[in-house]
Amino acid sequence: MPDAHPTDPLSAEEIRLAATVVVDELQPAGSVQFVAITLREPAKPAKDMLNSPSELADRCATVVLHDRADNSITEFTVSLTESRVLDSGVVAGAHAPFLVDEWEPFVDAIKADARYLEALGRRGISDVNLISIDPVPYGYWHEGDDQRRLCRATSFLRERAPGGNRHARHIEGLVCTVDLNALDVIAVDDHGVVPIPPDPGEYETEQLGPLRDDLRPLEITQPDGPSFEVDGWQVAWQKWRFRVGFNEREGLVLHALGYEDAGRLRPILHRASYTELAVTYADTSPGHWFMSFFDFGELQPGALANPLALGCDCLGLIRYFDVTLSDSRGDPYVIPNAICLHEEDAGTLWKHVDLGEGRSEVRRSRRLVISWIGTFGNYEYGFYWYLYQDGAIEAEVKLTGILQTAALAPGTQPTSGNLVAPQVNGMSHQHLFNVRLDMDLDGRDNTVEETWAEPIPLGEDNPNGTAFATCRRALLSESEAKRDVDPLSARAWEITNADVTNGLGAPVRYRLVPGENIKAMVQPDSPYGRRAAFARHHLHVTPYEADERYATGNYPYQGRGDDGLSVWTEADRSIADTDIVVWYTFGHHHAPRPEDWPVMPVASASFRLVPVGFFDRSPALDVAPPDPKHGHSCH
Ligand code: NI
């Protein structure tokens, strides 16, 4: 792929080549499986990538192999240009994530186990085809839990197969533990029979009763085509420029995101991605106490991407991107339409009416949306980035899908959740998302400042009691930058480039504006709390380090929590006026409602990055009013 840009995801040919190079060198045993074959991103160019892509030449792949025989992980760096292994090494203590390809044999092993079938029999279940089984990554709860690569399993009874809700009727108290490498069911724990909940939770169209018939069509048409241009993985829309990336570990990645301002390409983000999603359940019962996950680090989220459907997942004139990943044999496969790019009307951009003369100016806001949706077992997460005409960037997660539930005996009430259907406990839980923002605001050297408002005591400086102060201080070290949201004081964080000043003489800035957020309720000194230590604070800032990529480290599956953001930041490095990475964690508290049953309407959590003196005035002033030829007259 001589024409590939250095950040372009690997092509099918490149995945094949990388696998072949490693296989030729290693001659791996039959017990070896491929965990991932992904682009090894090049070192940062001396200048920002937006303005100096030509400095980046070599194409390399990282190939991760897992040997089921000795449970080892080996990483290879392969030069695709030279078709050879550049280096390789065993990663001590690492466990492979649960691979999509392991799901079927994992389920088959459990369904073939006599103890499991007996346990089903005690519940009056004889048709194993009606059983659906979910893997629950084992975690690390007790000393020695990392000696084998393990996964628990929980089970559900469907009303019908094929079809039928896979997650509506939990088979309470039945927990299997499987050695993933040997595919050996090492334990079938039956904590006692609880009646299966009666509601099948049907949601497929043909199973539902009469549907409402009073919705008339709402068509989005763009007769002259979309306003964006796509060239390979490069996207240009209005004044925005960025490159699209995608991989197993993070899903969608945005590279070299910048803004064209009076002929200058101004970098903002070198790279932006989600790095982790921690989900913790509050239930302590024998069938559920272990249900705390790292949905990114323990699974391969990119492999869970949905092929999206026009007019359903996205509305309007869509440009889809297919993504190519590798399976456990090292073979490439394609998820078609995995990434959706389109424009949306976003309400009013700006407006003013001159009351004296009755003159009015108003502009519609248009936003560019780039998104993907993954199915993580029972849950769907949609990950959306929005770019706006006023320079704002927004990240939003949409949560939908089916609740994790527990079954209750008739007449009993949940202790850590809510009744969402008869005999169904919608267990209380929290979702915590981590986003890594590798900033390049108008250049490489940036600093983060905290801003907040505080009252001024009545007195000489505040004679009428109405004055208040807007304050600012720089966060100079990693320990100073471990910060939490405080909406009551309007706390925000501003990425600042002190070397570049705007027309008003102030440094250029972008402000991280928190949206909905929560405090993580997991106890910090608990086993899971140590592994999820990144979620103790909403903000972290680190100096850029190429190998510091994911909040829970590279291999959190059954990890002890000795890698990741909280460990790196113990060094308390300087983050002043240097190449910085901003890590923001935001969460959604979920106390399920009956209205979340059987498929929950979308809930969302988000944050924004908005320019603060990055421009000298509103960058949205030059947006034209709606065109009268399309029937609009806004004056
Ligand atoms: Ni939830």
Side-chain angles (χ1 to χ4, degrees):
M1 289 284 286
D3 296 336
H5 182 275
T7 65
D8 288 354
L10 296 184
S11 66
E13 294 73 29
E14 288 175 319
I15 287 172
R16 259 189 221 103
L17 173 61
T20 303
V21 167
V22 168
V23 167
D24 286 351
E25 165 129 347
L26 188 72
Q27 299 295 324
S31 55
V32 170
Q33 57 183 352
F34 286 80
V35 174
I37 303 176
T38 47
L39 175 72
R40 182 171 176 82
E41 289 173 28
K44 279 185 172 182
K47 217 169 163 232
D48 66 272
M49 191 181 286
L50 201 59
N51 287 295
S52 56
S54 58
E55 283 183 41
L56 307 159
D58 243 6
R59 289 282 282 174
C60 290
T62 298
V63 178
V64 181
L65 295 189
H66 170 242
D67 190 339
R68 305 165 83 106
D70 62 5
N71 200 31
S72 63
I73 290 278
T74 311
E75 290 182 349
F76 298 80
T77 304
V78 176
S79 165
L80 299 166
T81 325
E82 300 170 20
S83 298
R84 66 185 183 93
V85 173
L86 297 179
D87 62 62
S88 65
V90 172
V91 185
H95 291 271
F98 187 95
L99 305 179
V100 168
D101 287 356
E102 293 181 307
W103 197 315
E104 199 175 311
F106 170 81
V107 168
D108 290 347
I110 295 166
K111 287 189 173 179
D113 189 278
R115 294 162 296 176
Y116 182 73
L117 298 175
E118 280 168 31
L120 293 181
R122 283 192 288 278
R123 291 160 172 82
I125 303 166
S126 56
D127 185 356
V128 80
N129 293 316
L130 294 175
I131 300 296
S132 65
I133 294 178
D134 270 7
V136 179
Y138 195 80
Y140 187 89
W141 302 97
H142 304 101
E143 193 63 33
D145 267 359
D146 53 356
Q147 296 306 303
R148 284 203 273 181
R149 181 163 170 262
L150 300 174
C151 189
R152 289 191 178 85
T154 55
S155 302
F156 303 83
L157 179 65
R158 285 194 279 174
E159 174 78 359
R160 59 196 168 88
N165 187 329
R166 285 178 172 273
H167 294 96
R169 302 197 292 174
H170 183 60
I171 300 175
E172 193 59 46
L174 179 56
V175 182
C176 301
T177 305
V178 177
D179 180 323
L180 276 179
N181 292 342
L183 279 177
D184 182 20
V185 182
I186 62 171
V188 176
D189 295 312
D190 190 343
H191 301 286
V193 175
V194 174
I196 306 283
D199 184 349
E202 296 284 12
Y203 62 91
E204 291 183 350
T205 310
E206 56 273 21
Q207 301 297 320
L208 300 173
L211 304 175
R212 63 180 76 179
D213 60 2
D214 51 356
L215 267 186
R216 300 188 184 109
L218 174 67
E219 308 281 0
I220 308 292
T221 58
Q222 294 183 268
D224 300 334
S227 307
F228 54 75
E229 283 170 29
V230 177
D231 178 12
W233 297 91
Q234 166 77 45
V235 178
W237 178 73
Q238 299 273 287
K239 298 175 184 181
W240 290 102
R241 306 284 179 273
F242 65 94
R243 301 195 69 90
V244 180
F246 195 91
N247 63 58
E248 280 99 338
R249 182 62 177 76
E250 299 162 290
L252 177 64
V253 180
L254 303 185
H255 296 278
L257 185 142
Y259 196 93
E260 191 194 323
D261 185 14
R264 267 192 312 152
L265 276 178
R266 301 179 65 186
I268 297 170
L269 277 159
H270 174 70
R271 192 181 189 282
S273 67
Y274 284 75
T275 83
E276 194 49 276
L277 161 50
V279 187
T280 57
Y281 285 83
D283 196 291
T284 59
S285 67
H288 302 278
W289 64 267
F290 47 81
M291 300 197 75
S292 288
F293 307 91
F294 296 113
D295 273 353
F296 271 41
E298 292 177 333
L299 305 173
Q300 301 259 52
L304 307 177
N306 296 173
L308 300 174
L310 184 62
C312 305
D313 295 300
C314 304
L315 201 56
L317 230 168
I318 312 297
R319 168 64 158 83
Y320 289 110
F321 294 84
D322 298 344
V323 300
T324 306
L325 301 174
S326 57
D327 66 15
S328 61
R329 295 179 306 278
D331 292 328
Y333 68 96
V334 174
I335 303 177
N337 296 355
I339 303 170
C340 171
L341 178 77
H342 75 296
E343 293 173 286
E344 283 179 357
D345 181 88
T348 302
L349 177 61
W350 58 265
K351 171 170 186 165
H352 186 62
V353 178
D354 180 317
L355 280 181
E357 298 177 4
R359 297 162 68 90
S360 163
E361 290 283 345
V362 61
R363 300 290 186 274
R364 297 297 303 171
S365 174
R366 183 90 60 94
R367 68 183 182 185
L368 186 72
V369 188
I370 183 156
S371 65
W372 69 285
I373 301 174
T375 298
F376 295 66
N378 57 308
Y379 236 80
E380 266 76 13
Y381 295 99
F383 299 92
Y384 296 75
W385 291 96
Y386 305 109
L387 302 177
Y388 292 87
Q389 292 160 305
D390 64 356
I393 302 165
E394 184 176 3
E396 182 186 30
V397 184
K398 296 182 182 179
L399 305 88
T400 180
I402 298 170
L403 296 167
Q404 264 305 342
T405 59
L408 298 167
T412 55
Q413 289 293 324
T415 52
S416 60
N418 294 316
L419 204 61
V420 296
Q423 297 167 232
V424 177
N425 174 10
M427 296 182 290
S428 297
H429 60 278
Q430 299 194 313
H431 309 260
L432 293 148
F433 304 92
N434 179 267
V435 175
R436 180 180 181 276
L437 303 167
D438 183 348
M439 304 301 306
D440 258 5
L441 194 72
D442 261 343
R444 191 108 311 157
D445 293 341
N446 296 164
T447 302
V448 174
E449 297 170 329
E450 181 165 296
T451 60
W452 71 99
E454 63 182 38
I456 297 172
L458 274 172
E460 198 178 323
D461 291 336
N462 190 10
N464 307 309
T466 52
F468 54 88
T470 301
C471 311
R472 169 187 302 280
R473 73 181 174 102
L475 305 175
L476 301 176
S477 69
E478 289 180 303
S479 60
E480 274 184 47
K482 293 184 181 185
R483 302 293 293 162
D484 297 320
V485 298
D486 181 9
L488 298 185
S489 75
R491 183 179 293 169
W493 299 289
E494 294 184 357
I495 297 96
T496 304
N497 188 332
D499 300 327
V500 179
T501 47
N502 61 26
L504 303 169
V508 294
R509 298 183 168 105
Y510 251 78
R511 177 185 298 156
L512 194 164
V513 185
E516 172 184 329
N517 211 333
I518 52 168
K519 178 179 167 60
M521 293 288 151
V522 61
Q523 291 296 327
D525 292 329
S526 64
Y528 185 81
R530 282 192 288 275
R531 302 173 68 218
F534 78 90
R536 288 178 200 169
H537 297 289
H538 299 126
L539 183 79
H540 290 78
V541 183
T542 59
Y544 171 81
E545 200 51 67
D547 293 333
E548 296 180 0
R549 289 176 293 178
Y550 319 121
T552 47
N554 289 354
Y555 297 99
Y557 197 97
Q558 272 174 284
R560 296 162 180 248
D562 48 14
D563 192 12
L565 193 49
S566 61
V567 176
W568 308 325
T569 52
E570 278 170 18
D572 201 15
R573 297 165 291 188
S574 168
I575 49 168
D577 204 22
T578 188
D579 187 6
I580 55 167
V581 178
V582 174
W583 307 72
Y584 181 62
T585 298
F586 62 110
H588 177 71
H589 184 85
H590 195 176
R593 310 167 295 155
E595 289 84 350
D596 291 337
W597 183 264
V599 180
M600 54 180 279
V602 164
S604 92
S606 64
F607 69 94
R608 287 161 65 90
L609 292 163
V610 302
V612 178
F614 188 77
F615 303 105
D616 293 344
R617 62 193 332 216
S618 168
L621 208 63
D622 64 352
V623 173
D627 190 339
K629 96 176 174 215
H630 293 299
H632 306 291
S633 178
C634 299
H635 290 278

